[in-house]
């Protein structure tokens, strides 16, 4: 679409899982890597918008305060668009 030239993919080399385990850990590592790269690529950004994982909010707000200035705003938007498409399960067993 019209915004495709504005999209930059980074961190695609990072694994989604490690031997089908550690999805949350891998997601956290990917999000932190993305935040570091985004802050490096856009050091004077006024706003960073995060989705799904809030892990890097403290990094963006506080850790970078001494290196190039703190981010002025961080917007956290969490959504789960596939919630209505997934099956309700508890420990892998379908619930009614």
């Amino acid at each position: 679409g019209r915004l495709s030239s504005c999209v930059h993919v980074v961190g695609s080399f990072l694994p989604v899982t490690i031997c089908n385990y550690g999805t949350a850990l891998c997601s956290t590592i990917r999000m932190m890597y993305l935040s570091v790269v985004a802050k490096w690529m856009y050091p004077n950004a006024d706003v960073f918008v995060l989705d799904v994982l809030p892990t890097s909010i403290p990094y963006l707000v506080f850790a970078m305060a001494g290196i190039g200035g703190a981010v002025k705003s961080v917007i956290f938007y969490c959504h789960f668009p596939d919630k209505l498409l997934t099956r309700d399960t508890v420990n892998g067993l379908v619930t009614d």
Side-chain angles (χ1 to χ4, degrees):
R2 294 189 304 167
L3 296 177
S4 63
S5 63
C6 299
V7 175
H8 303 280
V9 177
V10 295
S12 59
F13 65 91
L14 294 168
V16 177
T17 63
I18 299 171
C19 298
N20 292 326
Y21 292 100
T23 304
L25 175 63
C26 289
S27 295
T28 300
I29 292 169
R30 291 168 65 96
M31 188 64 169
M32 288 303 296
Y33 177 78
L34 175 62
S35 297
V36 169
V37 171
K39 183 64 179 162
W40 176 72
M41 289 176 67
Y42 305 102
N44 299 319
D46 291 327
V47 177
F48 279 95
V49 180
L50 304 178
D51 187 14
V52 180
L53 288 178
T55 312
S56 58
I57 291 174
Y59 168 77
L60 288 172
V61 173
F62 299 112
M64 293 302 291
I67 305 171
V71 174
K72 295 177 181 134
S73 295
V74 175
I75 297 172
F76 177 63
Y77 171 74
C78 183
H79 73 284
F80 189 39
D82 297 330
K83 184 175 183 178
L84 298 177
L85 300 176
T86 59
R87 296 169 64 184
D88 291 331
T89 62
V90 175
N91 297 327
L93 302 173
V94 177
T95 59
D96 293 327

